[in-house]
Amino acid sequence: MLNWDHIFATRSSRMRASEIRELLKLLERPDIISFAGGIPDPALFPDEAFKTAYADIFSGDQVGAALQYSVSEGYKPLREWLRGEMEKLGIPCTIDNIFITSGSQQALDYLGKLFLSPKDTALVTWPTYLGALQAFNAYEPNYDQLSLSGNRTPESYKAAAEKNGGAVKFAYLSADFANPTGETVDRAGRERLLKLAEELDIAIIEDAAYQSLRYDGEPVPPILALEIAEKGSIEETRTIYSGSFSKTLAPGLRVGFVVAAMPVIRKLVLMKQAADLHSSTINQIAITHVAERHFPEQVAKIKSAYSARRDAMLKALEKYMPAGTTWTKPEGGMFVWVTLPEGMDGAELLARSVETEKVAFVPGQAFFADRSGTNTLRLSFSCANEAMIDEGIKRLGRLVGGAIAAAA
Ligand SMILES: Cc1ncc(COP(=O)(O)O)c(C=O)c1O
């Protein structure tokens, strides 16, 4: 077989199949209770609403346009609908500030391409969304740990980036119910981040994939909303807001969006022209059809189902997890993050868990840019019912309890 390594670009060396994704493929077995997926529950998709949407498109005079090429910025009525939603979130903007992507994952790829030259530094939380690391890796950056507590000076970030031969370009974070921790950055943390970004003169990428999924507690304004309130106009801001319909309507249609100042949007449009011309025309029209008619009731429906599952998981963790373990208490989203005693290995535990307890989860290490966090686990409650959650956490608690006892 040909040796491709010297023909491939250097950036390809950082494109590796995640060992976890490979492992998770084995876990689709029906006998396993899985908290691994982190995907929406297909039983909650608004399938009837989509059936009507596509039927309307195909039976009306829109069908030609729906099957045709369309503009790179995105379908105008969808951007108009989003403008109204942004306004409700405290983000006044024009439709020109809104750009439609093929899922928010594409936005992460484009933003990596737009900002990162090889050796530049991206600031990310430890842990962060694995898909963001995969998207950014292709642009050969270094990573530094984004601290939201204000315990690092701008100079320390700058010095570290220079030592690595580049500059700090952006801070990426999921501020609401993050994947993987489920945690939310409070208003003070967001304000500290805005100040840090100002001092470093970098962009902020606000990944809002889970923002609509708040089950309790007070909503915190988006970082972009706080910045607009301070500066008076979106055109003065450095925050790039990345949103998605994947967690609210359906991920399979691949429709996401970016809201930002015009200089950023103009570049993204050019990148889209080069990459895939535009997002699927018909899917954008179908999303618009469903969003305009059903968005609030659909979000209420999934919030009610997921919050009951979140409650069941927190209750079961309380009941079954042994002393020495801690976990987050998310106010929304799909994830709980468990920290095991120091020295325990989540990947080893997963192998044993699948074999003996038939329970799956994601070991936390892959979410850390520095590959630390071996003693952490991500549990997703989105696709299991309450009875399965109780049983699965009971088994996990038994396994972890046994492992702690064996190590003592
Ligand atoms: C934090 C976060 N951002 C972005 C995405 C990508 O979502 P999509 O490309 O479906 O919009 C995900 C998917 O799991 C996610 O968890």
Side-chain angles (χ1 to χ4, degrees):
M1 205 199 293
L2 192 65
N3 177 4
W4 291 93
D5 290 346
H6 63 284
I7 311 178
F8 288 149
T10 52
R11 75 181 76 92
S12 75
S13 67
R14 287 175 66 169
M15 298 173 188
R16 262 172 284 132
S18 105
E19 55 278 66
I20 287 165
R21 207 140 281 175
E22 295 303 303
L23 188 57
L24 294 183
K25 277 192 203 148
L26 306 172
L27 303 181
E28 305 298 319
R29 297 186 344 218
D31 60 326
I32 290 200
I33 298 179
S34 180
F35 303 129
I39 54 175
D41 183 347
L44 298 170
F45 290 152
D47 44 3
E48 281 303 318
F50 277 115
K51 197 166 149 191
T52 308
Y54 284 98
D56 278 8
I57 294 168
F58 278 101
S59 62
D61 54 12
Q62 231 186 346
V63 65
L67 296 175
Q68 187 54 282
Y69 287 119
S70 56
V71 296
S72 302
E73 288 82 348
Y75 182 55
K76 211 166 160 189
L78 179 55
R79 290 155 68 219
E80 266 154 14
W81 183 83
L82 283 166
R83 200 203 58 72
E85 292 299 297
M86 289 298 114
E87 181 121 40
K88 288 184 213 159
L89 285 172
I91 301 176
C93 64
T94 72
I95 69 161
D96 295 331
N97 296 109
I98 301 173
F99 165 67
I100 308 295
T101 56
S102 298
S104 60
Q105 189 67 28
Q106 184 175 57
L108 298 179
D109 175 42
Y110 284 6
L111 292 168
K113 192 186 267 187
L114 181 57
F115 288 107
L116 297 169
S117 299
K119 298 189 177 159
D120 278 343
T121 291
L123 306 184
V124 295
T125 50
W126 261 216
T128 190
Y129 169 51
L130 174 58
L133 295 177
Q134 287 177 318
F136 302 151
N137 277 349
Y139 305 104
E140 305 178 82
N142 292 296
Y143 295 105
D144 199 351
Q145 182 175 10
L146 174 63
S147 158
L148 296 164
S149 62
N151 67 355
R152 281 207 37 198
T153 61
E155 290 69 35
S156 79
Y157 285 114
K158 260 191 212 160
E162 275 164 26
K163 208 167 135 216
N164 282 319
V168 186
K169 290 301 184 67
F170 61 72
Y172 163 82
L173 81 167
S174 177
D176 298 272
F177 330 119
N179 179 0
T181 64
E183 286 178 325
T184 296
V185 180
D186 64 12
R187 191 183 174 123
R190 294 175 196 222
E191 283 166 352
R192 274 195 298 273
L193 174 62
L194 278 165
K195 189 159 169 278
L196 175 71
E198 202 75 39
E199 286 166 346
L200 286 172
D201 194 14
I202 58 170
I204 295 173
I205 301 174
E206 175 175 25
D207 184 335
Y210 297 91
Q211 197 168 53
S212 310
L213 300 185
R214 173 173 284 282
Y215 313 138
D216 38 46
E218 277 302 303
V220 190
I223 300 168
L224 179 55
L226 293 172
E227 195 180 6
I228 294 175
E230 185 194 327
K231 305 221 174 110
S233 154
I234 192 167
E235 294 312 330
E236 303 303 318
T237 62
R238 58 178 68 245
T239 303
I240 301 162
Y241 179 100
S242 166
S244 178
F245 288 100
S246 290
K247 317 299 173 183
T248 49
L249 298 185
L253 275 71
R254 310 306 302 131
V255 181
F257 56 95
V258 169
V259 184
M262 282 313 296
V264 173
I265 298 290
R266 276 191 215 104
K267 286 284 189 200
L268 291 175
V269 170
L270 293 174
M271 293 170 90
K272 190 140 186 88
Q273 281 167 5
D276 64 351
L277 302 180
H278 60 80
S279 299
S280 158
T281 317
I282 194 165
N283 289 353
Q284 292 185 69
I285 298 175
I287 286 272
T288 312
H289 193 290
V290 174
E292 284 175 349
R293 288 163 183 78
H294 304 289
F295 196 75
E297 85 203 34
Q298 169 63 15
V299 171
K301 177 173 134 185
I302 57 178
K303 283 190 350 182
S304 151
Y306 292 153
S307 67
R309 294 172 194 178
R310 187 265 328 248
D311 292 346
M313 185 166 273
L314 292 178
K315 199 168 138 205
L317 286 163
E318 204 60 65
K319 208 153 94 184
Y320 302 118
M321 286 306 264
T325 54
T326 57
W327 55 90
T328 56
K329 316 256 174 344
E331 293 182 332
M334 297 183 175
F335 307 105
V336 176
W337 181 250
V338 176
T339 304
L340 306 170
E342 235 12 94
M344 283 186 74
D345 182 337
E348 253 173 41
L349 198 73
L350 174 63
R352 259 192 290 153
S353 180
V354 170
E355 201 173 305
T356 64
E357 298 290 355
K358 306 268 180 288
V359 173
F361 50 82
V362 181
Q365 190 181 28
F367 300 99
F368 289 79
D370 68 344
R371 308 291 288 170
S372 60
T374 33
N375 61 328
T376 55
L377 318 175
R378 189 193 75 176
L379 303 177
S380 166
F381 49 79
S382 57
C383 285
N385 65 37
E386 282 101 303
M388 279 161 68
I389 290 173
D390 187 79
E391 178 60 29
I393 299 297
K394 185 172 162 185
R395 297 183 198 175
L396 182 65
R398 185 162 65 202
L399 183 76
V400 174
I404 293 177

